[in-house]
Amino acid sequence: MTYNQRLSLFILIDSCIVLTAVFFSRFLVSADFNVLTLPIIVTSLVILLSHHIYSLLLKLYKKAWEYASIGELLIIFKVVTFSIVTAYLVQQFILQETFVRVLFITWLLHILLIGSSRFFWRMFRDTYMNKIDNKKRTLIIGAGSAGTMVARQLLKSNDGELLPVAFIDDDIHKQHLDIFGVSVVGGSGDIESVVKEYHIEQIIIAIPSLSKKELNRIFEACVQTKAKTQILPMLEDLVTGKVSVNQFRDVQVGDLLGREQVQLDIDKISDYVTDKVVLVTGAGGSIGSEVCRQVSNFNPRQLVLLGHGENSIYSIEMELKETFRHSNIEFITEIADIQDAGKMMEVMSTYHPDVVYHAAAHKHVPLMERNPAEAIKNNVIGTRNVANAASAYGVDTFVMISTDKAVNPTSVMGATKRLAEMIIQDMDKRSKTNFVAVRFGNVLGSRGSVIPLFKKQIEKGGPVTVTHPEMVRYFMTIPEASRLVIQAGALAKGGEIFILDMGEPVKIVDLAKNLIKLSGYSLEEIGIEFKGMRPGEKLFEELLKEEEIEERQVYPKIYIGKTADLYIKEIEEIINNFSCLDKESIRDTLLQLANKKVVQEPLMTISS
């Protein structure tokens, strides 16, 4: 039905209602069938005309009555009241006589009949048109504004597959109340029993303001049931219209980290990135590519994407050019190996970047245990090459991406990253460039993360392999890690190692359990198998050595580690001699130096 057809229908219905209300009121007051008197006819015409005018002014005819609520009732009250008051004034000043009782009864009948005519459609639609056959019985967690919005959307939807049958809310003032006919049946501690009692097939977590710790707690209760658990989309996505309120998404591992993300200081970042030349090494990697995405939001003049793998660089280049096609950013690609010192000098001399984010590195712990020489080439020599080139061509800020595995390292990868940190801190003492490092834990979804491995194992039917039941790690998401890197550049004064307060570490076995449940399986179906710790791994990761700890926060949830002793001479000796050593000797030498146990004897062990 078009708007004009709808408007004509409502005008016709309302006209009948108004005339019926006036003449029937006259009959009730006088108990006389002779109601067609001149004063009553004039009054009825005034009320009829007033009703239509006020309805148009207050947009009564534009309301979608399937969504009718208190607001629509209030508009009806205003339209009817204003119409009766207008009729009273006409009677008083033009007809010189008033019919107060008739007007009062007309007012009551007018409101009753207009309201009934509007809400009849909604009741009919909700009762007969919204079939509940084959709909999944749904529990909504959260009876606040978001939860009630979800319930209303689901109840009015004829095509949807979910039927809300109960709310859960920890607010005791809401418990035992009905919202749109759906009862608030208990708190979050009652989830398991409510699911059984009400035969719940689907659970919707509808609390956008929920902290990650609280979400984790609620999710743990949900996964004890057999109901599928989903979550309301992010609040900003709802507000911006990217998704609607009934487009639920699955709970993701990142939702359960139990730690709130660090917010950026936009002004400081804009000062050193906007309209500047920015270079990212390792731009095709999971962290490097996300740094590129985040940096592009601040409109640099040029963004140089440097990497060794042509396919990954091409991929991020195409993505950025499409995403930021309306910006003036110039995206430049450089296929280069950071082990090539000459090429690094050439790149820096060509573009003269203001900021360098150094994300290129070998990060896979077991692989580097088997290839320690390659770890030195890329992580130590490569970092030195990029840092020297940056210093030589006057880069303002150099941010190196490090890892918590550089703290008291037990692996080749961690040791080489610690030596790279030392190189960066030493460079800061000798250069006008501000050199800093950013140290954080494991990144969910990165190429070296356990998450992709776990997902593949689950897809194959299990089991999920975990190294040790007590192994714990700090975790963060790729976007958060990248934002920390960018924020560090804004805070940099030179020589710092920035560390994120990553909250409580997460047990790897708990992560595996959550991922199994999030994938829709039970632990019995997939299973978890403990394989034993791999070479170079340790049970607990640390973000700072004891002598590095400094309690002062430089930004919410961001700390600075104190500068430890630097062993540049010993690092140079390793660089000059590692090619003459066997794998085990390289590993021992790296770990001794990274853990501040300087080798006293000359490096003479020759590989066979």
Side-chain angles (χ1 to χ4, degrees), residues 104 153 236 251 297 308 311 322 393 472 585 590 592 600:
F104 178 71
Q153 287 283 92
E236 51 265 36
V251 181
N297 290 319
H308 199 206
N311 290 331
E322 172 62 25
Y393 288 95
V472 296
S585 297
L590 287 171
Q592 285 177 348
Q600 299 298 329

Side-chain angles (χ1 to χ4, degrees), residues 80 210 217 235 292 332 357 367 381 417 430 481 534 573:
V80 174
L210 201 64
R217 177 179 59 83
L235 191 58
C292 293
I332 302 168
Y357 297 106
L367 283 180
I381 298 176
K417 293 298 281 186
R430 301 184 286 107
R534 298 174 297 181
E573 188 175 354

Side-chain angles (χ1 to χ4, degrees), residues 496-516:
E496 302 98 337
I497 296 180
F498 291 97
I499 302 99
L500 176 66
D501 177 3
M502 300 188 69
E504 296 298 321
V506 177
K507 273 191 173 184
I508 300 298
V509 68
D510 290 341
L511 193 66
K513 290 177 182 177
N514 281 336
L515 199 59
I516 291 171

Side-chain angles (χ1 to χ4, degrees), residues 33 43 161 202 294 379 432 465 468 532 583:
F33 285 104
T43 299
E161 61 176 12
Q202 181 100 5
Q294 299 284 347
N379 295 355
K432 293 182 179 179
T465 57
H468 193 284
K583 291 181 179 180

Side-chain angles (χ1 to χ4, degrees), residues 365 403-411 413 441-442 471-474 505 536-544:
V365 171
T403 171
D404 56 359
K405 293 176 176 61
V407 183
N408 296 319
T410 57
S411 66
M413 193 279 280
N442 294 267
M471 180 171 282
V472 296
R473 291 292 183 268
Y474 293 100
E537 286 188 323
K538 52 184 179 180
L539 284 178
F540 305 94
E541 297 288 7
E542 306 155 276
L543 290 168
L544 282 171

Side-chain angles (χ1 to χ4, degrees), residues 191-206:
I191 290 175
E192 191 171 357
S193 61
V194 168
V195 169
K196 290 180 181 178
E197 181 181 350
Y198 288 83
H199 307 290
I200 300 297
E201 301 172 80
Q202 181 100 5
I203 300 174
I204 302 297
I205 302 175

Side-chain angles (χ1 to χ4, degrees), residues 62-73:
K62 292 187 175 182
K63 298 299 177 183
W65 291 101
E66 57 267 35
Y67 306 113
S69 62
I70 299 299
E72 284 69 29
L73 277 177

